Amino acid sequence: MLLEAANRAYYRDDAPVMSDAEYDALLRELRALEDAHPELRVADSPTQRVGAAPVSAFGAVPYRIPMTSLDNVFSEEEFGDWWERLRRALPEVPNPVLSGEPKFDGLSVNLRYEGGRLVLAGTRGDGVEGEDVTHNVRTIHNVPLQLQGSGWPELIELRGEVVLPVAAFRRLNRERERRGEAPFANPRNAAAGSLRQLDPRITARRPLAFFPWGFGECSEPLGDSHVQILQRFATWGFSVTEFLRPIHGLDEALAYHADLAARRESMPFEIDGLVFKVDDLALRERLGFTARAPRWAIAWKFPAHEASTLVEDIVASVGRTGVVTPVAQLQPVSVAGVMVSRASLHNEDEVRRKDVRVGDTVLVRRAGDVIPEIVTVLRDRRPAASQPWRMPTRCPVCGSEILRLPNEVAHRCTGGLYCPAQRMGAILHFASRRAMDIRGLGEKLVAQLVEQGLVKTVADLYHLDRDTLLALPRMGDRSAQKLLDEIAGSRQTEFARFLYALGIHQVGESTAKALAQHFGDLETLMAVSAEDLQEVPDVGPVVAEAILHFFAQTHNREVIQALLAAGVHWPKVRKREGGVLQGKRLVLTGSLPHLSREAAKEKIEAAGGKVVSAVSAQVDYMIVGEAPGSKLAKAQALGIPQLDEAAFLALLAEGGEDV
């Protein structure tokens, strides 16, 4: 379902697939449909859920008190309707006091304190279970690790929003673009991406901030008023928004909304609306919840920054990894004070979904006030002769075939070794440690070589000389000679490394090794059929198609021949017909006394086996070292045989394998 995918992309992957306005509109449409036809409502409908399930890379954090989401309104009329429903539900309180606060556009988290000390931090997740981000939250400077002051409960969960300042967000995006990385769509996704890093050091380098907006589980009552409770949080060391206000009546709420809407652009943090809540906690208990949200609170969303303009053209833009992205060339228009002339359409499916055509008049929105996107097409203004856009079949940069594999949404140029648009990416991958391992050939140096036209394909690396390198800025004699030695040394390689270095889409290290062992030499591999390729373990139709199309490109073959002519070679590979571990799946856990994990993996693959990370009934053996992880208990429960290093090597020796 479209909304479920959007939930996962937004809450779990930090990569939204639609604008907030689109999501809200679809959710409202679905809710209206379910209200009209209750028999269609199911338990896992997006209207009944919050966010998305946590990803497996982080530990799970369960919540005894769910982290619910909020219902939204978008106009003064809709807010007035909510206000009247509130008054009807509380007939004896004709003018309930509200709290007003900005709706920060960030990532909601739950901070658990025991004895005043931060012990656990989790994301919203699906509202019932989130992801453990404790180590990363500890790096946020305005999150107290020990509560200050006095009077805090023995156990309390504070809930709030982790945000990134707009100025820091712009600096971060400039840095990512300089490194050739995709920019974040908006501050919210930058904050989420920062908080959900597996390496806390990356999080620590980004100036995140936390603003509390409520609480969850608590060992004792905190008070009667939401505003007073948040002010109490400030005495414990938290940053409470200066815009928190008690609101008395509808007129005061409307004035508060007008005031913050006018301040929105000057605020240091991105806000996408305001949140109004019943201030009295006892009244909240009476009002209760719907399946998805509290009845005592509402988010009044600000309108998106939009303008209409004309699509003058749609062009296929080739990125450094070969992904071909449709880009709308727009008649320049001012959106939120910035002239916008281009908008990414992401992929052909998105162009078709929105049905964007050359000549269309479209609504353009600057998502997060930064990156423009086409929100919708104004079809009543469409020219009669307009035609649907189609992805070209040939790369506009190098002329190679454009391919879309069955399991992907992206189209890719298959001329990876030749295409000028992919030159930087191809060279860096070719020189990487697990490929040709040319040390010293970093991104800055590759950029210089490409910009000056000294390296057009990876084969040109082998024709660089000392004088050419010394003419580059900040290149000394010693560094030049060291790089030339590295390049010369890389001529002697392994067949599997060479295949991986070619950068064939879908061919990673493991597949490259399997191809090398199965076919033995390059000439055979370049001449095989799809059926031949699918005889290789784990090479299915999709991978086979990617390999065939890569070698079918004349330019790729020319670069490969140039590499061989430059002296790149490898020992003859002994084709493996079988091995003691042929077709077996093995899991490694713990540290082995004498073998590194990589060395153990190589021995397993050389014997025909495959290393997998997940423990399941399909695993044949587990190799156990010192300090094994939780995988061991699961393997024992499934009855999977365990081998220590000595038993593993003995098994290889009995099968005639090299140990």
Side-chain angles (χ1 to χ4, degrees):
M1 180 181 282
L2 189 59
L3 286 171
E4 277 297 332
N7 262 340
R8 289 193 298 271
Y10 186 87
Y11 288 101
R12 188 192 70 183
D13 302 333
D14 311 320
V17 294
M18 62 176 66
S19 69
D20 287 352
E22 285 180 284
Y23 179 85
D24 291 335
L26 286 171
L27 189 63
R28 285 154 67 88
E29 182 181 345
L30 178 60
R31 186 176 290 118
L33 178 65
E34 291 177 345
D35 289 343
H37 302 281
E39 71 277 7
L40 299 179
R41 185 181 291 119
V42 293
D44 61 351
S45 168
T47 64
Q48 310 299 305
R49 301 179 61 186
V50 178
V55 295
S56 58
F58 299 87
V61 179
Y63 301 126
R64 289 185 59 190
I65 299 177
M67 290 185 73
T68 56
S69 186
L70 296 176
D71 284 333
N72 298 322
V73 295
F74 298 87
S75 67
E76 182 176 326
E77 180 183 9
E78 290 180 345
F79 180 77
D81 290 342
W82 174 79
W83 171 256
E84 289 304 321
R85 288 197 302 273
L86 195 65
R87 295 181 66 190
R88 287 196 299 271
L90 301 169
E92 75 284 10
V93 188
N95 208 31
V97 178
L98 304 177
S99 65
E101 54 197 292
K103 184 179 181 299
F104 289 104
D105 198 10
L107 185 73
S108 296
V109 297
N110 183 89
L111 309 184
R112 185 180 180 90
Y113 287 83
E114 296 178 3
R117 193 172 297 276
L118 178 65
V119 296
L120 190 63
T123 63
R124 183 193 298 275
D126 61 5
V128 178
E129 187 177 83
E131 299 159 357
D132 186 344
V133 290
T134 308
H135 293 304
N136 291 342
V137 165
R138 289 181 184 277
T139 71
I140 300 175
H141 295 297
N142 73 336
V143 171
L145 303 183
Q146 171 69 50
L147 296 180
Q148 301 171 14
S150 61
W152 25 264
E154 177 62 26
L155 184 155
I156 183 171
E157 292 180 343
L158 278 87
R159 291 173 174 177
E161 209 76 4
V162 172
V163 293
L164 185 71
V166 173
F169 161 72
R170 289 172 179 160
R171 286 197 304 271
L172 178 60
N173 263 359
R174 286 195 295 269
E175 292 169 5
R176 291 177 68 85
E177 287 169 349
R178 279 197 296 269
R179 295 194 299 266
E181 299 172 353
F184 287 111
N186 51 50
R188 185 267 169 200
N189 286 98
S194 301
L195 191 62
R196 298 173 72 254
Q197 292 286 334
L198 294 178
D199 184 352
R201 293 171 297 182
I202 297 176
T203 308
R205 291 196 294 268
R206 298 175 183 174
L208 299 173
F210 172 79
F211 290 93
W213 45 249
F215 64 95
E217 189 176 353
C218 189
S219 59
E220 63 185 60
L222 290 176
D224 301 322
S225 159
H226 174 71
V227 171
Q228 291 175 5
I229 289 171
L230 288 190
Q231 290 169 343
R232 190 177 176 191
F233 290 168
T235 68
W236 299 345
F238 290 95
S239 301
V240 175
T241 173
E242 61 182 294
F243 299 105
L244 175 69
R245 299 280 189 277
I247 304 294
H248 301 86
L250 179 61
D251 289 343
E252 196 168 317
L254 298 180
Y256 178 76
H257 178 273
D259 179 40
L260 263 67
R263 296 171 181 255
R264 179 187 183 191
E265 298 302 329
S266 61
M267 285 187 174
F269 298 98
E270 186 81 17
I271 67 172
D272 59 357
L274 304 177
V275 177
F276 293 93
K277 304 172 184 175
V278 171
D279 189 53
D280 189 314
L281 270 61
L283 294 181
R284 291 186 185 184
E285 287 290 328
R286 287 178 51 189
L287 291 164
F289 292 76
T290 66
R292 185 176 185 270
R295 293 188 176 91
W296 42 261
I298 200 74
W300 187 348
K301 300 287 285 289
F302 289 139
H305 293 256
E306 295 176 344
S308 62
T309 188
L310 193 69
V311 178
E312 296 181 332
D313 198 2
I314 300 176
V315 298
S317 175
V318 186
R320 64 185 293 181
T321 62
V323 173
V324 184
T325 302
V327 175
Q329 305 279 15
L330 305 172
Q331 189 176 85
V333 63
S334 177
V335 184
V338 174
M339 292 302 295
V340 171
S341 59
R342 290 164 57 90
S344 172
L345 290 165
H346 305 295
N347 53 62
E348 189 176 35
D349 288 350
E350 181 75 355
V351 179
R352 290 180 181 176
R353 187 179 73 80
K354 293 183 175 178
D355 192 20
V356 182
R357 306 183 185 185
V358 175
D360 274 344
T361 299
V362 295
L363 280 181
V364 179
R365 177 182 184 271
R366 289 182 59 221
D369 292 339
V370 178
I371 298 174
E373 65 171 334
I374 291 176
V375 178
T376 189
V377 175
L378 304 179
R379 287 189 172 81
D380 58 337
R381 305 187 198 177
R382 170 171 286 168
S386 71
Q387 294 294 322
W389 184 82
R390 293 287 180 266
M391 181 70 70
T393 58
R394 292 283 168 181
C395 173
V397 179
C398 73
S400 297
E401 180 185 7
I402 290 177
L403 176 67
R404 177 180 180 177
L405 295 175
N407 64 339
E408 296 186 344
V409 297
H411 286 73
R412 296 175 185 272
C413 166
T414 54
L417 288 181
Y418 172 80
C419 183
Q422 302 176 62
R423 196 167 287 161
M424 276 278 295
I427 296 169
L428 287 169
H429 175 76
F430 184 83
S432 62
R433 183 169 65 89
R434 298 185 183 277
M436 301 300 280
D437 195 19
I438 305 176
R439 303 184 184 187
L441 198 59
E443 188 159 348
K444 290 183 179 178
L445 179 55
V446 171
Q448 289 178 330
L449 294 171
V450 170
E451 288 166 4
Q452 297 189 28
L454 300 173
V455 175
K456 295 182 178 179
T457 75
V458 291
D460 293 336
L461 293 171
Y462 295 95
H463 299 290
L464 292 172
D465 56 40
R466 184 172 171 276
D467 291 341
T468 299
L469 293 176
L470 288 175
L472 296 173
R474 296 180 297 279
M475 176 64 74
D477 185 78
R478 185 175 178 182
S479 296
Q481 190 55 54
K482 188 174 181 180
L483 178 59
L484 290 173
D485 291 343
E486 286 283 338
I487 293 172
S490 73
R491 285 188 169 94
Q492 171 67 52
T493 185
E494 300 168 5
F495 185 25
R497 276 182 173 268
F498 180 78
L499 288 179
Y500 176 63
L502 296 181
I504 305 170
H505 184 50
Q506 296 277 346
V507 176
E509 290 179 79
S510 178
T511 303
K513 289 178 182 177
L515 291 168
Q517 289 181 351
H518 187 87
F519 293 108
D521 62 80
L522 182 61
E523 292 76 14
T524 301
L525 174 58
M526 292 173 66
V528 296
S529 66
E531 291 74 17
D532 296 330
L533 285 167
Q534 290 178 64
E535 292 178 1
V536 181
D538 295 328
V539 173
V542 172
V543 178
E545 186 176 0
I547 296 169
L548 289 175
H549 282 273
F550 179 87
F551 286 123
Q553 307 309 307
T554 302
H555 292 312
N556 287 342
R557 286 177 170 264
E558 289 172 349
V559 174
I560 291 170
Q561 291 305 316
L563 286 168
L564 300 179
V568 176
H569 63 286
W570 51 84
K572 185 174 178 61
V573 178
R574 177 170 60 90
K575 290 177 63 175
R576 171 165 292 281
E577 301 299 335
V580 67
L581 297 178
Q582 188 68 37
K584 304 292 186 184
R585 293 172 175 262
L586 294 89
V587 170
L588 295 163
T589 185
S591 301
L592 299 178
H594 304 100
L595 289 176
S596 68
R597 187 168 290 248
E598 186 62 30
K601 181 180 178 182
E602 289 179 358
K603 289 183 179 295
I604 291 168
E605 290 174 345
K610 181 178 180 180
V611 176
V612 296
S613 58
V615 179
S616 69
Q618 284 71 48
V619 172
D620 297 286
Y621 293 104
M622 171 173 278
I623 301 175
V624 183
E626 297 177 5
S630 59
K631 293 179 180 179
L632 178 59
K634 187 172 182 180
Q636 290 171 337
L638 291 171
I640 297 170
Q642 288 109 49
L643 305 171
D644 60 14
E645 184 183 276
F648 167 58
L649 294 176
L651 177 64
L652 294 180
E654 288 173 9
E657 306 290 344
D658 295 332
V659 296

